[in-house]
Amino acid sequence: MIYADSVWTVNTLIDFLMLMLAARLCGFCAKPWRCLCGAALGGVYAVFSLLPGFIFLASFIWQLIFFLLMAGVGYGLRRAAMRPTALAFLCSIALAGFFQFLLRYVPMPPFHHRSGVIYPHGARILLLFAGGFYLAASLMASGSMKHSRGEVFPVTLSTQHRTMEVCALLDTGNSLHDPLSGKPVIVVNDGVLEDLFRISLNRKELEDAPGIYSSLVQRYPHHCFRLIPYKTVGVSGGMLLAGSCRLRIGKREQSVFAAFSPHPVGDGGGYEVLIGGNLL
């Protein structure tokens, strides 16, 4: 006999572990409660796929649809979520293979159902295997992480009409500030410009910040755009386009300018923002 509550609980917990694992491996700042809500949706799907009249849900296309819905709830609908979503899918495939390998050595006869193979007495074993998979994958990947947990941390950026949570890297060499107001400047990916400010600019336009500055000021006066002078190794000087926003780190909130880099600020470490030490 198959109990709906057991199926929902087991699948929800396993999906939650996979969502959190993928986020951890990517350095993505996922909220546990959001991942739990997404996993709960996956648990509901697992229950319905076993009910008479809903067997069609066990097909691959429906599995993929509900996986994307689950990841959308867990990670949010934004560009930065694409990487952990893809990794969560690969983790799920790897976990399924891990289950099949270990269950060969566990004396537990399978129960065959039209939607697949169910192991009715193995809830604890499945959860134990999933937890072991989570720990093993985390330990194996911990040595390859490029930044420690103390350097990469979640922050909240907000404007009048939009709020988003991103991961930031502490960059002690970042001392940028607005020469007019003296406000500190953070450096963000162009994706933050599109998600937070609802403005889409390509790389060439961002490289020509002085050329597009006047038109942006006229079109979006509420964003208080600035041109921020900067210097880097190998570059004598340049200008970055920046917009005003609110930055919250923990319980501390302040007004800053977000400078839009024409080049990715991340190196695969899962962050989208560079923050100077003077902001901590």
Side-chain angles (χ1 to χ4, degrees):
M1 183 179 295
I2 302 174
Y3 295 97
D5 57 344
S6 297
V7 172
W8 180 85
T9 301
V10 171
N11 281 274
T12 295
L13 292 177
I14 292 177
D15 289 341
F16 175 72
L17 286 176
M18 292 304 98
L19 290 175
M20 292 300 297
L21 174 62
R24 180 174 183 181
L25 295 180
C26 287
F28 182 82
C29 296
K31 286 187 175 181
W33 70 267
R34 290 200 60 162
C35 288
L36 184 58
C37 290
L41 176 62
V44 171
Y45 161 76
V47 172
F48 272 88
S49 66
L50 299 178
L51 297 178
F54 293 91
I55 303 300
F56 67 92
L57 291 176
S59 65
F60 174 76
I61 185 64
W62 282 105
Q63 290 179 2
L64 182 60
I65 289 174
F66 273 90
F67 173 81
L68 293 176
L69 290 174
M70 181 180 70
V73 172
Y75 298 144
L77 301 177
R78 55 193 182 95
R79 184 185 304 179
M82 295 176 62
R83 188 180 179 199
T85 298
L87 187 56
F89 183 73
L90 295 178
C91 286
S92 299
I93 295 175
L95 179 62
F98 184 66
F99 279 159
Q100 293 298 322
F101 174 77
L102 290 182
L103 288 174
R104 294 175 57 186
Y105 303 97
V106 177
M108 184 172 56
F111 170 78
H112 293 272
H113 189 269
R114 285 176 296 174
S115 64
V117 179
I118 310 299
Y119 294 88
H121 306 295
R124 294 181 181 178
I125 294 178
L126 292 177
L127 291 176
L128 180 63
F129 286 172
F133 181 84
Y134 176 91
L135 292 176
S138 298
L139 289 175
M140 286 189 295
S142 61
S144 62
M145 294 293 183
K146 296 187 177 183
H147 303 287
S148 68
R149 295 178 69 89
E151 293 176 311
V152 178
F153 49 92
V155 300
T156 301
L157 300 177
S158 59
T159 60
Q160 293 179 348
H161 308 289
R162 179 75 168 166
T163 298
M164 64 183 299
E165 291 191 357
V166 294
C167 281
L169 174 70
L170 174 60
D171 179 15
T172 56
N174 177 14
S175 58
L176 291 176
H177 64 277
D178 174 32
L180 296 179
S181 65
K183 290 182 181 180
V185 175
I186 62 176
V187 182
V188 303
N189 271 334
D190 59 346
V192 177
L193 169 65
E194 185 171 350
D195 293 338
L196 186 63
F197 291 84
R198 301 290 183 159
I199 300 173
S200 180
L201 297 174
N202 58 43
R203 175 178 173 179
K204 185 171 294 186
E205 289 174 317
L206 288 175
E207 289 178 340
D208 184 26
I212 63 173
Y213 174 73
S214 297
S215 61
L216 288 177
V217 170
Q218 294 177 1
R219 292 167 57 191
Y220 309 101
H222 54 284
H223 285 316
C224 300
F225 284 115
R226 293 281 198 277
L227 289 176
I228 307 298
Y230 74 98
K231 292 182 180 180
T232 61
V233 177
V235 179
S236 59
M239 304 291 283
L240 291 175
L241 178 69
S244 178
C245 66
R246 302 289 299 180
L247 168 69
R248 186 169 75 245
I249 305 175
K251 295 183 178 180
R252 180 183 176 187
E253 183 173 339
Q254 58 185 307
S255 178
V256 299
F257 279 97
F260 312 114
S261 173
H263 308 285
V265 301
D267 59 358
Y271 57 90
E272 301 176 79
V273 180
L274 295 178
I275 291 182
N278 58 332
L279 287 169
L280 297 180

